[in-house]
Amino acid sequence: MSAQKIIITLDGWSSCGKSTLAKALARALGYVFVDSGAMYRAITLFFIRNQVNIADPVAVEKALEAIQLQFIFNPARGASDILLNGENVEALIREMTVASRVSEVAALARVRQFAVQQQQRLGKEKGIVMDGRDIGTVVFPHAELKIFMTADKDIRVQRRLKELQAANPSITADLVRENLEQRDHLDATRSESPLRQAEDARVLDNSNLSPAQQFEIAMAWAQEAIDQANG
Ligand code: DC
């Protein structure tokens, strides 16, 4: 009999390396990696393009009815790109225009319901690593391994700056810090599924860890959870 697969959730603050770790874990375990933030970003891109008034529930509903999200594996990245109505928007959703609006869109109950339903469907077969804000608390409350990631804010700003500067050399640390603080605040204080640590989550503070070190810690936790699931 093949080994029982598990669900691994990775929640935490913006830009603390959740996706990098989730991707590495998925690759090592032969699991599927899903970036749930990409879904909120793609929805936000659609809302921006179509000037959807987020204060109007009818307009929001109509917009969601017109949105189809899919993931398609991109071997060059070793992860899946997100498709919005068939268009690959993986690069576009990382731009500041989307980053500065995504938290308000992700705060809408109807938008979250729409995204969570699809996320739960993706996890039906288990064998999945999903990162986000509410994955261990709302999407998969019974996940076998929940990791809550955190890192010092200055370190997060520097990491994010480096990432964004590759595409936009004029971006400044102040701008990145402002966006990050605003998102952290909105994500943690919204009434719908705010970012919070699940009671049974294991905390990983990676401020002073290399990617290899954090991978080693998380992989040991994953192995432990898999062994337990296989009793
Ligand atoms: O992880 P990220 O920075 O790509 O996420 C983009 C935004 O989406 C972020 O502001 C919080 C929101 N988000 C969320 O509310 N719930 C999730 N499960 C994932 C992301």
Side-chain angles (χ1 to χ4, degrees):
M1 205 183 86
S2 60
Q4 169 73 37
K5 292 184 172 183
I6 65 166
I7 293 180
I8 301 176
T9 65
L10 260 129
D11 292 302
W13 304 100
S14 298
S15 306
C16 61
K18 296 186 296 292
S19 303
T20 308
L21 178 59
K23 213 186 306 177
L25 281 175
R27 190 178 309 141
L29 295 167
Y31 282 15
V32 173
F33 158 62
V34 176
D35 172 1
S36 70
M39 299 170 80
Y40 292 101
R41 287 170 179 266
I43 295 168
T44 303
L45 178 63
F46 184 93
F47 279 28
I48 293 172
R49 281 177 170 176
N50 295 281
Q51 297 176 5
V52 176
N53 175 6
I54 64 167
D56 176 357
V58 176
V60 168
E61 193 58 44
K62 211 171 130 216
L64 292 176
E65 274 168 21
I67 293 178
Q68 275 223 359
L69 301 176
Q70 284 164 280
F71 285 99
I72 178 170
F73 191 71
N74 176 346
R77 279 199 323 123
S80 293
D81 287 351
I82 192 160
L83 305 187
L84 169 63
N85 295 335
E87 174 191 355
N88 190 326
V89 292
E90 185 60 39
L92 273 176
I93 60 165
R94 307 290 158 195
E95 291 183 359
M96 269 303 212
T97 42
V98 171
S100 60
R101 300 285 302 280
V102 62
S103 286
E104 42 179 314
V105 174
L108 299 175
R110 185 62 190 101
V111 167
R112 302 205 69 80
Q113 201 183 22
F114 175 85
V116 168
Q117 213 172 40
Q118 302 190 26
Q119 289 154 8
Q120 288 174 333
R121 207 175 310 135
L122 290 168
K124 256 205 163 116
E125 309 291 324
K126 300 209 172 189
I128 193 167
V129 185
M130 191 178 291
D131 81 324
R133 305 292 188 289
D134 61 339
I135 311 303
T137 52
V138 174
V139 182
F140 299 121
H142 303 297
E144 288 83 354
L145 173 61
K146 300 178 185 178
I147 300 175
F148 189 85
M149 285 181 69
T150 178
D152 182 83
K153 199 193 290 167
D154 290 334
I155 293 176
R156 290 196 285 134
V157 169
Q158 286 312 315
R159 286 180 185 158
R160 187 89 187 110
L161 181 65
K162 224 161 117 186
E163 240 174 65
L164 287 171
Q165 264 177 344
N168 176 5
S170 65
I171 200 113
T172 64
D174 284 345
L175 199 65
V176 172
R177 175 179 294 274
E178 200 180 305
N179 174 254
L180 204 106
E181 284 177 346
Q182 192 191 13
R183 281 206 291 153
D184 282 354
H185 179 73
L186 285 170
D187 293 345
T189 57
R190 68 178 176 224
S191 58
E192 289 296 324
S193 315
L195 168 67
R196 68 180 172 82
Q197 188 184 319
E199 269 172 33
D200 51 350
R202 305 184 83 151
V203 178
L204 187 55
D205 180 336
N206 69 8
S207 306
N208 299 305
L209 295 178
S210 69
Q213 286 170 321
Q214 72 170 6
F215 173 73
E216 202 178 312
I217 295 170
M219 198 57 193
W221 289 346
Q223 208 48 64
E224 211 177 282
I226 291 169
D227 289 347
Q228 209 163 25
N230 284 280

